[in-house]
Amino acid sequence: MRRSSPAMSGEGDEEEAAALVESAEPPQTSVSSGVASIMVGLVFLALLIGFSRWINLDDNSFILGNISSINTGRPRNHSLSNYTTPFTCSNGTSTTCSGTAAPPPWRWPAAASTTPSCPDYFRYIHDDLQPWRGAGITRDVMERARKYAYFRLVVVGGHAYVETYQTAFQMRDVFTQWGILQLMRRYPGRVPDLDIMFACDDPGQVRAAEFAAPSDAPPVFRYCKDKSTLDIVFPDWSFWGWPEVGIRPWTPMLAEIERENKRVPWLQREPLAFWKGNPDRYRIRHDMMKCNVSNGKEWNARLFNQDWGKARQNGLKDSSIPKQCLYRYKIYIEGNAWSVSEKYILACNSPVLFVVTPFQDIMSRGLVAGKHYWPIDRNRICESIKFAVDWGNQHPVEAQLIGEQGSRFAREEMSMDYIYDYMLHLLTEYAKLLRYKPTIPEKAVEICTHSLACPADDQHRPCMMDSMERRAADSDPCTLPPAFTTAQAKEMADKEEELLRNIQKREKEHAARP
Ligand SMILES: *[C@@H]1O[C@H](CO)[C@@H](O)[C@H](O)[C@H]1NC(C)=O
Ligand SMILES: *[C@@H]1O[C@H](CO)[C@@H](O)[C@H](O)[C@H]1NC(C)=O
Ligand SMILES: *[C@@H]1O[C@H](CO)[C@@H](O)[C@H](O)[C@H]1NC(C)=O
Ligand SMILES: *[C@@H]1O[C@H](CO)[C@@H](O)[C@H](O)[C@H]1NC(C)=O
Ligand SMILES: *[C@@H]1O[C@H](CO)[C@@H](O)[C@H](O)[C@H]1NC(C)=O
C-alpha cells in the first residue's frame, strides 16, 4: 500500500497540497428551512444595502439580486440508522474480501416522504452526463476511456472490484476507492451495478472538440474539468483525508477549523489577505507572489511559501490548516487545476478572495461570486487584492457576511452527508445510461473496507478509521434537482460578469487615487 511520493507522472500534486495549506473555518448548525431562507434573505438584503451604498445607490443589480432565490439547497439533517456493517481486522482473512457477503440491503422506511432538494451544485450532475443522454454509454465507448484511466471500478451485486492501470500519485486512487466503499456502507444496497473509468490526475483531459458527437466521448471520472472538457466531476480524495500532507478527513478538519474560528474572531484577525502554498511551476501563483509586501509595495497581501520537504521534516507542525484562520481575508488560487485547499480556505469565516479560474470542481460550481466569495481578477491580481482588502476593512459588516456565507456553504452544503448524496446520485444517474450489464473484468480484484484498511500503514490507517462510515443512512438522499435551465444559467453568468465588471471599475478608480 505504501507509495513513495516523488515518482509521479509530472502531475501537479504537491502543488495542490501547497495551495492547500491555507485555511478553514467553523460552523453552526442548520436551522429549519423556512427560517434559513428568511435568514438568507435578510443577510442578502444587508449585503445588498451595503454594496449599493458603496457602489451606486441606484444600482441594485450589482449584487446578484436574485441568484440566491434559485438556491434550493437547504441544510437538512441526514439521520443514520442503527444498521451497521461489521468491520474487523482481527481475522486472518481480513486482507482479502473473499467470502464476504454483500451487506443485506437496508430496509428503507416505507413511507419515505419526499426529501428536501439537494443543493444547487447537484444540478451539474445532469450537465456532466449530458453527452450520453440519448445514445447512452455502450461498452465500446466506455472502454475507450481506458487510455485516460488510472483504474476501473466495477460494482456488481453490491461488491466492488478494481482493475488498476497506472499508479496514482500518493494514495489518490486508494482514497477515492475508499470513498466509494464508504458510500456503499452508508447506503447499503443502493449503489447500482456500474462500471467506471477513473483518472486521478489534475486537469480535465477529454476534449469536447475531438469528438464528432458528444456521445462518442469516453466517460472519464475525475476531480476537475473546465469548459472545454467532458470529464465527469467527482469529489476528490481529500474528503477522506490526505495524510501525506497532514490533512485529516473533511469532517474532523471542519470541527478543528470551527474551534479555531471561535478562538480568533474575525475582527481580531490581521486585516490583510493571506496565502500559503507552493508557487513553483505555476505561472499564475508566481505572478501572485509579486504582490507580497516583501517586494516593496503594500498590496495588503501576506504570501508564504510552503516547502513540503521541510514541513515533513518537522512533522508538518507549522502547516496546520486550521491554524491558518488568522487573517481577515484568505486567498484561493488554482495550481495545476483546482486546488484541494479550496474547502479549507472557504471554511475559515474570512471572505475568500477567489482568483477567478477556469477550473471547475464539485465545490467551485456551487459558489456564487459576491455571495460566497470576492472575485479577484486573474490579470491584475495585486490591484484586485488591494482593493478587496481596503473595501472589506471599510465595510466590515458586509465583508464578514461574505466570509460567513462562504463558510456556511462549506460546512453545510458540502458536508459529508451531501458529498455521499452527490456520489449516490451521480453514480445512479450514470448507471442508468449504461447500455450493457457490467461484469467483473478478468483482472479486477475485489475491494472492501477491510481489504483497504487492514493492510494500511500507520500513516494512512488513521484517516481511514476517521472517515469510515459506521452506520447506514435511514432515509433517502436529498432529492436531485433538475439541471439549470438555459435561462437560469445565462442569468447567473450575466450577473457574475456584471459583478466582475463593477468590481473592476471600482478597482481602477481606487488604484488611480493617490
Ligand atoms: C427576482 O425574484 C422575484 C421573485 O422570484 C421576481 O419577482 C423578480 O422579477 C426577480 N427580479 C429579477 C431582477 O430577476
Ligand atoms: C438537526 O441536528 C441538530 C444537531 O444535531 C439538532 O440540534 C437539530 O434539532 C436537528 N434538526 C432537526 C430538524 O432534526
Ligand atoms: C437505535 O438504538 C438505540 C439504542 O439501542 C435505540 O434507543 C433506538 O430506538 C434505536 N433506533 C432505531 C431506529 O432502531
Ligand atoms: C474469520 O472469518 C471466518 C470466515 O468469514 C469465520 O468463519 C471466522 O469465525 C472468523 N474468525 C474470527 C476470529 O472472527
Ligand atoms: C512575504 O512577506 C512576508 C513579510 O515580509 C515574509 O515574511 C515572507 O517570507 C514573504 N514571502 C515570500 C514567499 O517571500
Side-chain angles (χ1 to χ4, degrees):
M1 291 286 260
R2 193 159 231 296
R3 288 177 194 178
S4 58
S5 17
M8 56 186 182
S9 47
E11 227 65 77
D13 309 322
E14 291 252 67
E15 84 217 46
E16 256 144 44
L20 226 219
V21 186
E22 320 180 89
S23 66
E25 142 229 42
Q28 292 103 359
T29 35
S30 45
V31 194
S32 79
S33 53
V35 177
S37 48
I38 291 168
M39 287 186 45
V40 169
L42 289 177
V43 159
F44 238 79
L45 193 62
L47 198 54
L48 192 103
I49 292 166
F51 268 88
S52 45
R53 192 175 61 225
W54 161 59
I55 294 288
N56 167 348
L57 293 176
D58 308 323
D59 184 9
N60 281 356
S61 60
F62 172 68
I63 196 59
L64 307 179
N66 267 13
I67 284 191
S68 60
S69 64
I70 296 170
N71 185 8
T72 53
R74 293 180 197 92
R76 62 178 276 249
N77 287 353
H78 289 68
S79 54
L80 298 176
S81 71
N82 282 348
Y83 176 80
T84 57
T85 318
F87 172 81
T88 169
C89 285
S90 63
N91 201 318
T93 63
S94 57
T95 56
T96 74
C97 303
S98 58
T100 50
W106 170 244
R107 281 176 183 281
W108 303 90
S113 53
T114 43
T115 53
S117 181
C118 308
D120 276 344
Y121 65 89
F122 281 60
R123 296 171 185 268
Y124 296 102
I125 288 175
H126 305 291
D127 301 61
D128 283 358
L129 298 177
Q130 184 59 33
W132 304 279
R133 196 60 73 194
I137 298 169
T138 61
R139 192 185 285 275
D140 175 54
V141 159
M142 194 277 174
E143 286 181 350
R144 267 189 268 143
R146 176 174 171 161
K147 71 170 183 178
Y148 302 88
Y150 284 59
F151 65 85
R152 177 178 193 163
L153 186 140
V154 178
V155 173
V156 173
H159 294 266
Y161 305 84
V162 162
E163 181 177 1
T164 300
Y165 300 130
Q166 41 179 323
T167 306
F169 181 59
Q170 292 173 344
M171 297 275 277
R172 287 178 175 208
D173 50 352
V174 174
F175 275 90
T176 301
Q177 294 158 13
W178 174 262
I180 294 172
L181 292 171
Q182 301 321 302
L183 169 69
M184 294 168 76
R185 287 167 74 91
R186 170 169 282 226
Y187 285 114
R190 285 283 189 109
V191 177
D193 284 9
L194 51 83
D195 190 1
I196 64 177
M197 292 287 190
F198 208 106
C200 300
D201 46 347
D202 296 343
Q205 300 291 341
V206 183
R207 287 175 220 302
E210 289 172 15
F211 304 95
S215 60
D216 292 344
V220 176
F221 285 73
R222 72 166 71 236
Y223 314 117
C224 180
K225 73 186 285 290
D226 60 40
K227 263 197 196 142
S228 68
T229 51
L230 298 176
D231 303 75
I232 301 168
V233 175
F234 198 82
D236 72 59
W237 71 95
S238 67
F239 283 97
W240 296 274
W242 187 354
E244 288 84 356
V245 294
I247 290 179
R248 301 173 66 206
W250 179 222
T251 304
M253 283 293 282
L254 262 181
E256 268 181 62
I257 293 168
E258 176 169 19
R259 281 195 293 279
E260 279 301 297
N261 284 347
K262 294 223 167 88
R263 195 175 66 82
V264 191
W266 191 79
L267 280 170
Q268 290 173 23
R269 299 182 184 186
E270 289 291 324
L272 295 164
F274 172 87
W275 182 81
K276 183 169 183 179
N278 180 359
D280 300 344
R281 295 197 282 163
Y282 307 104
R283 202 174 60 93
I284 188 163
R285 289 184 175 183
H286 221 261
D287 288 351
M288 183 179 74
M289 294 318 269
K290 295 179 195 147
C291 317
N292 199 18
V293 66
S294 59
N295 289 335
K297 189 153 160 56
E298 180 60 88
W299 296 110
N300 297 336
R302 295 295 180 273
L303 313 174
F304 300 90
N305 218 328
Q306 173 73 49
D307 179 334
W308 284 107
K310 278 205 192 120
R312 278 197 200 94
Q313 275 165 23
N314 85 351
L316 299 172
K317 276 192 202 70
D318 306 325
S319 308
S320 159
I321 287 175
K323 301 277 182 212
Q324 296 184 10
C325 297
L326 298 173
Y327 288 76
R328 281 196 202 165
Y329 308 89
K330 303 275 320 238
I331 298 168
Y332 170 80
I333 189 165
E334 72 199 35
N336 195 30
W338 97 111
S339 166
V340 164
S341 61
E342 184 179 44
K343 56 187 173 300
Y344 314 110
I345 292 177
L346 217 57
C348 244
N349 261 1
S350 287
V352 173
L353 310 187
F354 193 105
V355 181
V356 173
T357 176
F359 298 110
Q360 307 169 3
D361 62 280
I362 181 178
M363 184 174 209
S364 65
R365 298 201 287 198
L367 300 176
V368 177
K371 178 178 180 184
H372 302 118
Y373 67 89
W374 181 282
I376 295 294
D377 187 339
R378 60 189 283 128
N379 299 311
R380 314 169 63 246
I381 296 180
C382 299
E383 291 84 350
S384 205
I385 291 175
K386 173 154 180 46
F387 175 64
V389 171
D390 284 345
W391 183 85
N393 287 338
Q394 277 167 24
H395 300 82
V397 173
E398 293 82 359
Q400 279 182 87
L401 272 174
I402 296 180
E404 280 162 18
Q405 291 179 151
S407 289
R408 195 182 304 139
F409 179 88
R411 69 183 176 253
E412 291 178 359
E413 299 192 27
M414 297 298 295
S415 65
M416 280 317 285
D417 289 330
Y418 279 123
I419 295 296
Y420 285 121
D421 283 7
Y422 186 94
M423 292 161 66
L424 185 63
H425 279 304
L426 171 60
L427 295 177
T428 303
E429 294 301 306
Y430 171 84
K432 286 182 196 162
L433 295 172
L434 293 177
R435 291 288 181 267
Y436 62 96
K437 193 167 165 29
T439 50
I440 306 165
E442 230 170 81
K443 293 191 187 133
V445 293
E446 184 171 0
I447 56 164
C448 53
T449 290
H450 61 250
S451 77
L452 298 193
C454 298
D457 62 25
D458 291 346
Q459 183 180 33
H460 300 106
R461 195 181 313 105
C463 279
M464 293 183 175
M465 293 299 119
D466 283 352
S467 62
M468 188 186 298
E469 286 298 302
R470 287 163 208 279
R471 293 159 65 195
D474 82 347
S475 58
D476 289 320
C478 56
T479 301
L480 181 61
F484 283 120
T485 62
T486 315
Q488 285 171 327
K490 180 170 183 320
E491 189 193 331
M492 293 195 311
D494 288 353
K495 292 207 163 153
E496 185 163 328
E497 245 174 58
E498 191 181 341
L499 176 68
L500 290 177
R501 268 201 312 275
N502 267 299
I503 290 183
Q504 255 168 20
K505 200 169 123 210
R506 309 288 139 176
E507 267 169 28
K508 287 187 179 144
E509 289 169 13
H510 190 66
R513 246 175 262 159

